[in-house]
Amino acid sequence: MTKLIAITGITGGGSVANTFFQTPGYTIRGVTRNTESAAAKAWAAKGVEIVKADFDDVESLKRAFQGANVIFGVTDFWNIFGDPRSKELKKPDQELVEYCYEVELRHGKNLADAAASTASTLDRYIFSSMAHATQSSGGKFSKIYHMDSKAEAVTYAQSLPELKDKFSQIQAPIYYQIALEWGLPVEPTKQPDGTYRMKVPGVAHKPIPLGNVGTDLGPNVKALVEQAPPNTNLFAVGEYLSWNDYLRIFCETQGVKYGGVDELTYDEINELIPGGLGHEFGCNVLFAFEFGYEGKEAGIVGPGKYGIKMSSFREYCEKADFSALLSNGAEVGGFGLSPSASPMSTSSALAYLGVEFDVASGLAPALAASFSLFFFPLSALGSFMLGEGPRGLAGCYNITWHPSLSRRERNQLRNQRGLTIWLTGLSASGKSTVATALEQHLLHLGLAAYRLDGDNVRFGLNKDLGFSETDRNENIRRISEVAKLFADASTIAITSFISPYRADRDLARELHAKTTQDGDEPIPFVEVFVDVPLEVAEQRDPKGLYKKARAGEIKDFTGISAPYEEPVNAEITIKTHENTVEECVAQITNWLIAKGYVKSEVKN
């Protein structure tokens, strides 16, 4: 039997409509405020039924949804913000963003009420949502209006008896197209030296959730309709990438030179975006950094749970046409939309919030221009922006460093040079196995060595840390400090942690290079890349973690849903899938001897 799916916002995006248009057994009804728009007429020409409805008129929505088996609903906070009437309709002392929250929540409730009116025919109501910032943060972020309005619309829909076991929600990531197709100020620009650079607010090395929503959102909605049980919260993320890797992959696929990424500060963003937007999005960034873009609600699943193949950023870059961007020439600096930016592209850019917008509703040009400045990594800014200072430093500014033996003197007295051997690689690459064997080998040679890994660090020093990005960074920072202390005591410290981010490993290296006394020598830092292909690591998978990550049961798993940034200039590279553990240990030991860090005549 043919099913009827009603899609709101059909003229603002095509992924959901295209997916069901190409799927046998479905008839599409497009819901829009302007049935005379070019986009509405284009869908009508394909045989799609186009009906008129207004989110402020629940009865019009009920008529539009009548007889539907599936409903895909979205709301639009930023169109409300850009509507000149909103300033007139809000209370005199009310913030505009608070008023927009109230209207969007009302729209979300109207959609839910209209969907509930079709209970006799309805199989599934899918709503495009965001995390509830207030609840997920325990009240720390209580005024991120554009998030909470959608999340509270979800709560309302879930409270309606008619929608019991008929409701699910979907969250979209940031679009791959954000910096490449929409003429935004973050797009790569050609420099006088021929390289391409990007300007991005926030930190360039930290990963953000991205995806090709224009092609992949539809299959995810389809999975919610056909595969997932009701009450599913699906985060349709394609890939986690840092802006550094984003630009690097773009340059590689386009055959141009990578120049690097310039970071913009939080203060610059607030200066550029006054009137509530700076606060709204600044808090959004800080929330995402601390609590995750998709929030902390239990049971959130990813596309892998339903076997959905998501497009990689590299695949997107290889297929897209960037001739207009690459022909712009060396235009360096400046903010605002590029001359090629169009109203359609700006509206599409707004869709990173997780919805497909009705272009017919439009946006005020000034809002569109200012809005374009806010497409930045949501995991980019930390609590230091709020003036909290680095973790653990409160009240410690009165400490004075007291010199003792120099490193050289200590090494001479112990007849051994302290250093850190930092093993990095994917989970199941063999880091811990090699580290354990290396520690034993060095001890048998008569050298003081100590291994730091998850067992003796996570259950002791770092037992207060979880696995959020903030805690993972703090975990690596503490390990770096402890390894340095071991090495400073003329011991060979061996660490075996995934440590996926180059920036964190670089900070560890810089920490070891610092000296505390005049004439002191830096501590050698030896990065060992345990280079194993992802498919080999997955085949090993001794704890079943990759399987769970592929199924969407583990979020932010390195190599699957979170990035691993391979070392660029590691001192040593070992391949445990090609060599035995003994051969890998010998390779590391021979390198240490060749560099003079370990004496060849040490006791066997």
Side-chain angles (χ1 to χ4, degrees):
M1 183 180 73
T2 300
K3 290 188 175 183
L4 172 63
I5 177 171
I7 300 175
T8 63
I10 191 171
T11 57
S15 181
V16 175
N18 281 327
T19 296
F20 285 94
F21 187 77
Q22 297 168 13
T23 302
Y26 289 94
T27 298
I28 299 174
R29 178 183 295 162
V31 182
T32 179
R33 287 196 302 176
N34 185 0
T35 58
E36 297 301 313
S37 70
K41 289 181 177 179
W43 278 111
K46 294 180 180 181
V48 172
E49 179 189 7
I50 300 295
V51 300
K52 185 174 183 177
D54 191 311
F55 283 1
D56 282 313
D57 182 357
V58 70
E59 293 303 320
S60 72
L61 290 170
K62 288 180 179 180
R63 289 191 296 271
F65 293 165
Q66 186 176 9
N69 305 111
V70 178
I71 298 170
F72 178 64
V74 299
T75 51
D76 187 345
F77 183 97
W78 300 109
N79 182 57
I80 304 163
F81 187 96
D83 188 338
R85 294 174 300 172
S86 294
K87 291 183 178 180
E88 301 171 4
L89 294 172
K90 75 178 186 66
K91 301 180 183 73
D93 58 347
Q94 186 179 33
E95 293 181 65
L96 179 58
V97 286
E98 183 182 10
Y99 170 79
C100 296
Y101 154 84
E102 292 176 353
V103 175
E104 184 179 34
L105 178 55
R106 184 172 70 246
H107 289 172
K109 289 181 176 181
N110 286 346
L111 281 172
D113 286 335
S117 73
T118 68
S120 61
T121 60
L122 186 67
D123 295 323
R124 193 75 79 244
Y125 170 42
I126 312 296
F127 182 72
S128 183
S129 70
M130 294 188 77
H132 196 296
T134 301
Q135 292 180 3
S136 292
S137 68
K140 182 172 183 178
F141 294 96
S142 60
K143 289 187 177 182
I144 310 183
Y145 292 112
H146 77 280
M147 296 182 69
D148 286 358
S149 53
K150 296 177 182 65
E152 289 172 24
V154 167
T155 301
Y156 179 79
Q158 291 170 330
S159 73
L160 297 178
E162 298 88 346
L163 295 180
K164 179 177 173 58
D165 295 331
K166 295 177 182 289
F167 177 79
S168 286
Q169 56 185 303
I170 187 165
Q171 297 189 55
I174 302 169
Y175 282 42
Y176 285 152
Q177 292 87 344
I178 186 173
L180 300 174
E181 293 191 40
W182 296 335
L184 301 179
V186 297
E187 71 179 14
T189 54
K190 190 175 182 180
Q191 308 297 303
D193 64 359
T195 64
Y196 278 78
R197 298 187 67 86
M198 286 174 62
K199 285 185 175 182
V200 297
V203 180
H205 74 274
K206 294 185 178 180
I208 52 175
L210 295 156
N212 195 356
V213 181
T215 60
D216 293 348
L217 188 67
N220 281 270
V221 172
K222 181 182 174 185
L224 286 175
V225 173
E226 297 185 344
Q227 295 176 260
N231 306 310
T232 296
N233 186 345
L234 175 58
F235 183 39
V237 60
E239 188 173 6
Y240 284 81
L241 283 176
S242 68
W243 286 117
N244 286 331
D245 285 338
Y246 183 96
L247 179 60
R248 187 174 289 107
I249 291 171
F250 167 76
C251 290
E252 288 174 0
T253 57
Q254 304 308 306
V256 297
K257 294 181 180 179
Y258 173 86
V261 177
D262 300 312
E263 299 172 348
L264 303 178
T265 69
Y266 180 71
D267 288 339
E268 287 174 317
I269 297 168
N270 276 312
E271 246 180 75
L272 290 166
I273 314 290
L277 276 176
H279 164 79
E280 190 76 10
F281 277 88
C283 288
N284 191 178
V285 170
L286 295 172
F287 167 82
F289 180 84
E290 188 169 351
F291 299 101
Y293 183 81
E294 69 276 28
K296 292 294 184 180
E297 180 180 323
I300 298 175
V301 299
K305 177 79 171 178
Y306 304 107
I308 303 168
K309 184 185 183 304
M310 304 294 284
S311 306
S312 72
F313 181 62
R314 184 175 295 275
E315 290 171 335
Y316 155 72
C317 286
E318 289 171 346
K319 294 177 181 178
D321 180 7
F322 301 120
S323 55
L325 186 153
L326 295 171
S327 64
N328 281 343
E331 297 180 7
V332 183
F335 296 95
L337 293 168
S338 74
S340 61
S342 67
M344 170 69 83
S345 66
T346 303
S347 295
S348 300
L350 297 179
Y352 98 98
L353 294 170
V355 300
E356 299 184 33
F357 292 92
D358 189 337
V359 177
S361 62
L363 283 171
L367 171 64
S370 64
F371 212 117
S372 70
L373 297 167
F374 252 106
F375 289 93
F376 48 95
L378 296 180
S379 58
L381 303 174
S383 59
F384 63 93
M385 295 299 187
L386 296 177
E388 294 178 4
R391 182 198 287 249
L393 290 184
C396 296
Y397 297 105
N398 59 339
I399 295 177
T400 303
W401 178 265
H402 295 282
S404 58
L405 287 174
S406 69
R407 236 169 250 146
R408 183 176 287 105
E409 290 172 323
R410 190 177 288 109
N411 288 341
Q412 289 173 347
L413 289 171
R414 296 199 64 186
N415 194 32
Q416 175 180 326
R417 186 169 187 178
L419 60 109
T420 290
I421 302 173
W422 190 282
L423 281 78
T424 175
L426 294 169
S427 177
S429 61
K431 300 182 301 299
S432 296
T433 302
V434 171
T436 300
L438 178 62
E439 179 189 33
Q440 293 174 353
H441 180 62
L442 294 176
L443 289 171
H444 283 297
L445 291 177
L447 296 166
Y450 192 81
R451 176 174 52 90
L452 297 168
D453 64 14
D455 289 339
N456 56 23
V457 172
R458 277 286 185 181
F459 292 102
L461 176 68
N462 291 351
K463 67 181 181 180
D464 61 316
L465 300 179
F467 291 90
S468 67
E469 185 179 344
T470 305
D471 283 357
R472 284 180 176 180
N473 292 341
E474 176 63 12
N475 182 53
I476 295 302
R477 188 195 68 79
R478 293 185 192 178
I479 292 165
S480 304
E481 292 283 2
V482 172
K484 178 185 175 183
L485 291 175
F486 271 96
D488 194 37
S490 302
T491 296
I492 299 176
I494 306 168
T495 72
S496 56
F497 298 86
I498 295 174
S499 48
Y501 304 129
R502 294 190 191 100
D504 289 338
R505 300 193 298 268
D506 289 346
L507 287 174
R509 185 185 294 275
E510 292 170 8
L511 179 67
H512 283 67
K514 291 180 180 178
T515 59
T516 55
Q517 300 185 54
D518 291 339
D520 213 346
E521 57 188 8
I523 297 172
F525 183 88
V526 183
E527 188 175 34
V528 179
F529 176 30
V530 186
D531 184 8
V532 168
L534 176 61
E535 56 268 23
V536 173
E538 282 200 72
Q539 289 171 0
R540 292 173 176 173
D541 202 11
K543 301 177 182 178
L545 300 179
Y546 283 100
K547 184 177 181 180
K548 291 180 179 178
R550 289 289 187 190
E553 297 174 17
I554 301 177
K555 294 195 302 180
D556 302 338
F557 189 80
T558 302
I560 304 299
S561 52
Y564 176 76
E565 299 175 355
E566 294 185 359
V568 178
N569 295 304
E571 281 75 10
I572 305 170
T573 298
I574 61 175
K575 300 187 176 184
T576 60
H577 62 298
E578 296 179 358
N579 302 105
T580 66
V581 174
E582 292 75 14
E583 289 170 338
C584 292
V585 168
Q587 180 183 346
I588 296 171
T589 305
N590 291 336
W591 188 93
L592 295 174
I593 292 173
K595 290 294 182 180
Y597 294 150
V598 172
K599 298 177 182 178
S600 57
E601 68 272 11
V602 292
K603 180 180 177 181
N604 193 338

